[in-house]
Amino acid sequence: EFDELCFEFGLELDEITSEKDIISKEKGEEKAKGASDVVLYKIDVPANRYDLLCLEGLVRGLQVFKERINLPRFEKIIPAEGEGQRLIVTEQTAQIRPHAVAAVLRNITFTKDRYDSFIDLQEKLHQNICRKRALVAIGTHDLDTITGPFTFTAKAPSEIKFKPLNQSKEYTASQIMDLYRTDSHLRHYLHLIENKPRYPVIYDSNGVVLSMPPIINGDHTKISLKTRNVFIECTGTDITKAKIVLDIMVTMFSEYCEKPFTVEAVEVVHPNGKTHIYPELAYRTEKVKPEYINKKVGISETPSSLAKLLTRMCLKSHVTGNGNHLEIEIPPTRADIIHACDIVEDAAIAYGYNNIQMVIPKTYTIANQLPLNKLTELLRLDLAAAGFTEALTFALCSQEDIADKLGTDISATNAVIIANPKTAEFQVARTTLLPGLLKTIAANRKMPLPLKLFEISDIVVKDPNADVGAKNYRHLCAIYYNKSPGFEIIHGLLDRVMQVLDVPPNEENGYTIKAAEGTAFFPGRCAEVFVKGQSIGKLGVVHPDVITKFELTMPCSVLEINIEPFV
Amino acid sequence: MAGGNQGTLRLLERLDQPGASGGLCSIQAAAELGVDHQTLVGAVKSLQALGEVIEAEARTATRWELSPEGEEVLRDGSPEVRLFRSLPEEGLPQGEAMKLPGGSLGFSKAMANKWVRLDKGAPGGPRVLRAVPSVQDTVQEHLGQVRTGGAQAVPERDRSELKRRKLLLEMTLKSYWIRKGSAFSTAVARPETELTPEMIATGSWRQLPFKPYNFSSLGLPPACGHLHPLLKVRSELRQIFLEMGFTEMRTDNFVESSFWNFDALFQPQQHPARDQHDTFFLLDPAEAPQLPPGYYNKVKKVHSQGGYGSQGYRYEWKVEEARKNLLRTHTTSASARALFQLARQKFTPVKYFSIDRVFRNESLDATHLAEFHQVEGVVADRGLTLGHLMGTLRQFFTKLGLILIPSGLKKWVEVGNSGVFRPELLLPMGLPENVTVIAWGLSLERPTMIKYGIKNIRELMGHRVNLQMVYDSPMCRLDV
């Protein structure tokens, strides 16, 4: 039933499990002993629905969807002049983490579950919209332990000294970095500030460190179940995302304040003296024509019915004018709604995808094949008919495969080089199909001889004239592997390929082969293929060194040509 | 074979003659038919193999034959007789007598027969003299009898003696006593195994029986080439798209700029998919030399400030980030290029498709490779709806044979993604505002693995492929 509800709401119930199940799957049953049996529902949430990342938001969303409650209206309370909290941003932050926003949750009541959810939401936001704290980092503090105004500045690591969260003594910022170098969690964030001359830091008016974003909070301001007033700051490099994150934090947890859904504003003072009041908690109104929604979805609902559907999706809507418009209020929880098309999507979800009538478009078109692919398809059939079997090898390989092993230097290959390969198998894009076929034979040495393989696929070379600086070429490569090299067989295959391409064997308007050299070929057993005087590739007996380097033992001959001139 | 059959036929005819009702000896029959006995035995055996055509009882017979020495004796007489007959009346000294025809063997035999005597006291040394006035060459006579088939008439003692003297050879002969069988017919002959050009030329195939084929065994595999199973599925999918009226897009650039791979698709520059973690970025060429002038400014604006009815992402869009080259992570970059080209002309509705390689910097396992094939379909027309997208998908997946979920598999299997392109993607390109573009994508490997029951993707793509699997894989008909 819950599965169905999730589906209706546009979510996917991924798995029903328990902590015990998870641990036992990952680490074995032994370790799972004593773990919780409480049933866990794992739900896949769309990446941009930050309002569904915690139980509070998800339950609220589903309740509104089922029309059990109305979407609460979030209210920003601006304290009287001089009574509110202020966060002063200094110009030193500009070079490292220029943006900061903040808000206060007054008279909140935590329970164990609420507290856990509060911590968990911060972690999920950090991993998601905050891009592992690179864009935004969240700090939450017990306001009653500190005194404003607060200062967000940046200082040399040696000048920062405080007791980090859950530590027993004070460390300098440099020491903190060393302390967390092996921390399974925090070590992933150190690189964000590590090599900077100044680290970001937030102080209260008495010099108490609230946090050193994006690494760690101070222990002094640690919140507990007894905390009543929470100071939330978000610092970052992307102001839009910082504002969204703050809005999400306060809209999710203001529910537990004495006056539910109210948030106390904080004034942020910028280095240039300008001030901003946060959280924004902005409500935006979009006007959309009902027929726009109907036409995009393929339904014909009345304006009032559409308004009702959208309201169920937390987009409070009503019909205006003479029924020609819908006015839709986008709440601060729905930062994902950035265009009318997002409203259309929510209307479709609420309507139910399964209820939309499937229609085949009347779009009338004449199909065309890409000439290069059509040629490839035809050639594949003729090569198989000639007794050769098709291989399908990787376009990525090691530098060795296309250079050292073929007796040439990587600089001579003009190959595209990958910056961040995880293994040596993916260092470059191939410049020839030959290594792939040789590796295919090496992996199939048990098969009866002869082995006759081919592949028609793309290779890649650098090309400064191409818009991206590199270009594909469609190659045809064939190999004959047996107790004798069988040059005449590969030569015969070339003749056959030319025959089916209707290219006659003559120099002026057909093809010829001329003695040539190639590092991959046995000296004197290599020829270059010319079509109308233009070189399109080579054929020959593979050099014994190449055979050995690819862990093969038998002689073989190969043909590799570019087929693009035949399109 | 024809000669062999000829023998078979003649044997059957002989058996069919009156007087053969009691049966025939194979040796005798061979002599009568003028064929070698072994040939006749062959005919008997092949007839036996046909069932109850004849009955043949194996017999063992003994036959006497002259040895080469025996033949000599038959011609020239036995050594003892020859010695006796050349011995003069007055005799000869022993030394000279030994040189007579018959020699020492004749001498010792003649002595044993008491036809000659040795006078040891004769003057000038021992002398050989006749002891009887005349002799009869019974050895020669006996050999003559054997020669004419009358071995039985020679007393057994004499035959043994001749055998001992290696003049006669005793041959054991396996023969058959042949009678008509219950299914006797002269029409039966050994069936031919194959039709020959001679049979066709002479028309003899009309009379000849042919051995039945064994249809339960496998035939000889033909020597042939094979297409790769995944690429057979690719061909089938191309065919499906063409049947549905979709035109193939250019996809011949594995190297793509971040601009086309991400920015043009309205994917923000901080999106997790743009992480080093998931994408192969390039060291060389690290940056795309050209971004489409004019258009890239519009992309920049819609990301950083919005427009076209959009709030935008409101962040600082960096051209350096857009120039970063990578190996395309999807073929949607190619679709973006195709739509951009479409927007250069007066709009006409299009249906596009592509199937080509894409690259992900992922950890490899049984279902993930660093490169795989993406199948993509795109329809651009005025007034397309979500219902049209779903209708197109149903049509497409029905052709793929993936609409019917196998019973027992209750959960939907996710094979791809689909959606409607955002206005922030289409309008900066210059497409008309009322044009909707619907698109969907899936991997080529996933339906192939489902269809062919392949568990490990590495068996399907790359050099570690099992060629036997390629040799043995069936043709691809996804709708069957």
Side-chain angles (χ1 to χ4, degrees), chain B residues 213-264:
Chain B
Y213 280 163
N214 175 10
F215 293 117
S216 64
S217 67
L218 289 178
L220 213 58
C224 57
H226 310 266
L227 294 174
H228 191 282
L230 186 74
L231 299 181
K232 288 196 273 196
V233 179
R234 184 180 70 179
S235 300
E236 176 76 357
L237 276 161
R238 284 183 88 244
Q239 183 64 31
I240 287 171
F241 275 117
L242 292 170
E243 284 167 7
M244 289 172 65
F246 283 64
T247 285
E248 197 168 25
M249 288 183 275
R250 274 189 70 172
T251 50
D252 56 344
N253 59 309
F254 293 165
V255 174
E256 189 56 279
S257 60
S258 293
F259 179 80
W260 285 110
N261 198 80
F262 297 124
D263 297 289

Side-chain angles (χ1 to χ4, degrees), chain A residues 12-14 128 131-132 135 238 240-241 244 284 286 292 294-298 335-342 348 353-354 356-370 372-374 376-377 380-381 383-396 415-422 425-426 429-430 436 439-440 443-444 447-448 450-451 453-460 462 464-472 474 564, chain B residues 224-228 230-232 234-235 238 241-242 244-257 260 266 270-272 275-277 279-285 287-290 308-315 325 327 337 349-351 353 356-357 359 361-364 369-371 373 379-381 383-392 394-395 411 414 422-424 433 435-436 438 460-468 470-471:
Chain A
E12 196 188 326
L13 179 59
D14 192 35
N128 186 334
R131 300 296 301 119
K132 300 191 173 124
L135 301 182
D238 183 321
T240 307
K241 296 218 162 46
I244 293 171
R284 181 174 97 243
E286 293 266 1
Y292 174 82
N294 279 330
K295 276 170 106 177
K296 290 287 174 190
V297 180
D336 59 300
I337 306 279
I338 60 173
H339 190 277
C341 69
D342 298 309
Y353 282 127
N354 286 346
I356 299 170
Q357 202 194 346
M358 298 189 195
V359 185
I360 293 169
K362 292 197 168 63
T363 311
Y364 178 80
T365 52
I366 306 280
N368 287 303
Q369 302 187 49
L370 197 71
L372 179 61
N373 290 356
K374 182 174 180 176
T376 301
E377 289 287 287
R380 290 172 60 230
L381 294 177
L383 284 167
F388 282 70
T389 290
E390 188 170 37
L392 174 61
T393 66
F394 295 129
L396 308 184
V416 161
I417 297 169
I418 295 169
N420 56 336
K422 278 193 180 134
E425 277 182 288
F426 310 117
R430 65 185 171 196
K439 289 196 282 185
T440 304
N444 284 278
M447 297 297 290
L451 283 172
L453 302 180
F454 80 93
E455 181 168 18
I456 305 179
S457 191
D458 285 2
I459 61 104
V460 187
K462 285 188 284 182
N465 295 320
D467 69 337
V468 293
K471 199 172 175 329
N472 283 21
R474 184 72 43 93
E564 297 197 7
Chain B
C224 57
H226 310 266
L227 294 174
H228 191 282
L230 186 74
L231 299 181
K232 288 196 273 196
R234 184 180 70 179
S235 300
R238 284 183 88 244
F241 275 117
L242 292 170
M244 289 172 65
F246 283 64
T247 285
E248 197 168 25
M249 288 183 275
R250 274 189 70 172
T251 50
D252 56 344
N253 59 309
F254 293 165
V255 174
E256 189 56 279
S257 60
W260 285 110
F266 197 52
Q270 312 84 359
H271 194 276
D275 254 6
Q276 294 272 325
H277 192 67
T279 305
F280 286 115
F281 286 93
L282 296 190
L283 189 67
D284 185 20
E287 292 202 331
Q290 301 156 39
Y308 314 101
S310 174
Q311 302 288 308
Y313 292 122
R314 290 161 288 157
Y315 71 98
N325 267 336
L327 294 171
R337 283 175 180 267
V350 295
K351 292 189 287 204
F353 82 95
D356 209 342
R357 292 181 197 235
F359 304 85
N361 197 4
E362 283 183 307
S363 305
L364 311 186
L369 288 177
E371 55 188 279
H373 291 77
V379 184
D381 200 353
L384 292 178
T385 66
L386 261 179
H388 285 129
L389 171 63
M390 289 161 64
T392 307
R394 184 174 63 178
Q395 190 185 31
K411 225 177 138 118
E414 188 181 326
R422 297 185 68 93
E424 295 99 322
E433 218 168 308
V435 167
T436 303
I438 59 178
L460 191 61
M461 180 154 176
H463 56 268
R464 288 183 198 89
V465 68
N466 174 0
L467 282 178
Q468 193 63 50
V470 177
Y471 293 170

